[in-house]
Amino acid sequence: MKKAISVLEIGTHKVRVVIGRVHDNDKLEIMGLGECPSQGVSKGGVNDVAKVEACVRNAIKTAENQANRAANDLHCVFSSRELRSKIHQAYVPVLNDDQIISKEHVDDVQATAQSASFGDGRQKVHFLPQFYSVDEQHPTENPIGTKGDKLFLTMLTLHVPSNHLINLGNIVSNIGARPASFAFSGLCAAQSSITEDQMNRGTLLIDLGAGTTGFAFCADGFVAYTGSVPVGGLNVTKDIARGLQLTEEQAERAKCIHSDCLNKPLGHTKHVVRLMGGPKGEDVSIHLPNLNTVAHARLKETFGLIQNQLDQQGILHRLSAGVQLVGGGASMKNIEQLAEKVFKTQCWIGEPFETVGLPEDKSPASYAAPVGMIRYVHDTESSREGERKSFLSILGRKGK
């Protein structure tokens, strides 16, 4: 029987524990799922350990009962407004007499690249090889057997404040489990829902969370860039609450049920809706054009921040396949049409492929990150010849 893998996702909106396994036919089965409204979390970071631990205990108990097994090892999916990405290059000289590059040279250049420092208080969480080159000539996936003076490796490295992962690890340890691994939610979501064809042709995955919005840009078979912006669905809710003088509970309900991200003219449709539960228990009327204007403005700004980062990296022109939206925010009405207007390319709502057992009453897109983490752990632990490449080759290209 295939090994069950347990994943913990501590988000600004929800804490989730998902237990699942991947079968030989590549089908992923969800065996247990526990969810709890988040407390003690802000912008993806922990600000009250005791409250977060209580949420994790609640979620893990539900998941374990459904799966009928203990979640002793937890693989942690994280998001962070302090996540940083850096593209850099390392090289090693080819000193043997025939100057033919061997596996030892590949191992040496990877070790040199991974030794890079990112300053005090920061910890590397992902090292994503992109491509090799010999004497800075044409990029290659496998340089072994090539003749040259120097072997270069271009890579993308993700790093976060060390305390961020220490806090997550302590929370897991305090509830009696083992923190088995950590992975960025944007990369996990890509692992579950981006195909190899999309990765080759240029696809931007956007993971719309409550506190932060993560993204991964894949092109030419590897992750070209990834990152996070410090705004999310909760910012939309707070903007609506302030702009329309609502409670946050009312604003969240208005956002999820009535808002339209396109902010298009309403024509002859009803312009006013009533919300229950005002500050004194009374109903409140809101004008839909006002609601749509607020939601549209914040989401357009969010997409614009991501677009600017890609433009600054000089890679926006490689966006050929389109934009895929996942996460809780992907369920907002017409959000894919808004993304199409901003990025000027096709956009669609993604979901984990080949996955069974997800809740039927919730959007599959919101589970892309934890499902992707299950696939990542499965692929890295099994690594059999012919299996789907782990993290789409760790969402980069591996040395042979």
Side-chain angles (χ1 to χ4, degrees):
M1 182 174 292
K2 288 293 182 179
K3 175 184 175 182
I5 297 165
S6 302
V7 171
L8 169 64
E9 181 181 29
I10 299 177
T12 302
H13 183 59
K14 285 184 180 179
V15 171
R16 283 190 177 122
V17 173
V18 183
I19 302 175
R21 59 188 171 198
V22 181
H23 295 278
D24 288 336
N25 62 0
D26 207 34
K27 290 277 188 182
L28 192 153
E29 174 194 2
I30 302 299
M31 305 165 64
L33 170 63
E35 297 180 313
C36 178
S38 290
Q39 293 185 339
V41 183
S42 177
K43 298 291 184 184
V46 174
N47 55 30
D48 190 317
V49 171
K51 287 183 178 179
V52 176
E53 285 180 9
C55 292
V56 175
R57 291 180 190 277
N58 186 323
I60 201 170
K61 180 179 179 180
T62 301
E64 288 178 332
N65 287 341
Q66 290 181 8
N68 194 29
R69 65 190 62 221
N72 295 320
D73 292 339
L74 286 176
H75 300 271
C76 304
V77 176
F78 73 89
S79 57
S80 173
R81 64 187 303 172
E82 300 296 331
L83 178 82
R84 299 291 182 268
S85 298
K86 182 178 181 181
I87 298 173
H88 55 122
Q89 191 177 68
Y91 80 92
V92 293
V94 182
L95 299 177
N96 45 307
D97 292 339
D98 59 8
Q99 292 189 306
I100 300 296
I101 293 169
S102 65
K103 185 179 183 303
E104 287 70 26
H105 294 111
V106 172
D107 292 340
D108 287 347
V109 77
Q110 287 191 5
T112 300
Q114 292 190 58
S115 67
S117 174
F118 298 96
D120 294 339
R122 297 197 68 84
Q123 182 173 338
K124 179 175 58 186
V125 287
H126 293 295
F127 168 79
L128 310 179
Q130 293 186 334
F131 57 85
Y132 299 92
S133 61
V134 179
D135 297 336
E136 296 189 284
Q137 298 298 312
H138 298 296
T140 178
E141 181 178 352
N142 181 13
I144 295 176
T146 306
K147 184 174 182 177
D149 295 317
K150 295 178 181 178
L151 174 63
F152 292 81
L153 172 60
T154 299
M155 78 295 297
L156 176 67
T157 306
L158 279 65
H159 50 100
V160 295
S162 302
N163 288 340
H164 188 99
L165 300 185
I166 291 172
N167 288 337
L168 290 180
N170 287 342
I171 288 169
V172 173
S173 298
N174 290 346
I175 66 167
R178 184 180 75 92
S181 65
F182 302 92
F184 171 50
S185 60
L187 294 181
C188 291
Q191 170 74 359
S192 75
S193 55
I194 287 185
T195 67
E196 245 180 286
D197 176 68
Q198 291 167 346
M199 188 173 189
N200 285 324
R201 293 194 296 122
T203 300
L204 171 63
L205 179 134
I206 301 178
D207 183 16
L208 294 149
T212 62
T213 298
F215 64 91
F217 182 78
C218 305
D220 300 324
F222 55 82
V223 177
Y225 196 69
T226 188
S228 179
V229 295
V231 290
L234 187 58
N235 295 90
V236 180
T237 301
K238 290 181 178 293
D239 289 350
I240 293 171
R242 285 192 296 265
L244 304 185
Q245 297 182 331
L246 303 174
T247 65
E248 285 198 14
E249 183 179 350
Q250 287 177 314
E252 178 70 15
R253 199 159 61 247
K255 178 187 74 175
C256 295
I257 299 174
H258 300 292
S259 68
D260 187 328
C261 299
L262 273 184
N263 193 24
K264 58 187 178 183
L266 294 177
H268 297 293
T269 60
K270 188 177 180 182
H271 286 204
V272 177
V273 295
R274 296 186 66 81
L275 300 172
M276 298 175 60
K280 298 180 181 179
E282 76 281 12
D283 291 353
V284 177
S285 296
I286 62 171
H287 289 267
L288 288 180
N290 297 339
L291 171 66
N292 295 341
T293 297
V294 174
H296 171 88
R298 177 61 83 169
L299 288 163
K300 182 179 179 182
E301 176 201 35
T302 302
F303 290 145
L305 291 171
I306 297 172
Q307 185 183 48
N308 289 342
Q309 287 197 36
L310 299 180
D311 194 33
Q312 289 171 8
Q313 295 297 320
I315 56 178
L316 190 59
H317 67 281
R318 296 161 66 187
L319 182 58
S320 299
V323 177
Q324 181 173 175
L325 303 177
V326 297
S331 61
M332 291 186 65
K333 183 179 179 181
N334 286 328
I335 192 166
E336 64 270 39
Q337 284 89 339
L338 174 59
E340 286 180 350
K341 287 182 175 292
V342 173
F343 291 100
K344 296 179 174 56
T345 187
Q346 65 175 336
C347 175
W348 63 94
I349 306 301
E351 61 181 63
F353 52 77
E354 300 292 334
T355 301
V356 296
L358 290 172
E360 295 182 359
D361 60 338
K362 296 179 182 178
S363 169
S366 63
Y367 295 94
V371 169
M373 185 60 151
I374 292 174
R375 285 198 178 275
Y376 162 55
V377 174
H378 166 80
D379 289 354
T380 52
E381 289 185 351
S382 56
S383 64
R384 291 196 303 269
E385 186 68 26
E387 284 197 349
R388 187 172 182 271
K389 293 183 286 186
S390 170
F391 252 151
L392 298 172
S393 272
I394 309 301
L395 282 174
R397 285 175 168 163
K398 287 182 178 179
K400 299 295 183 180

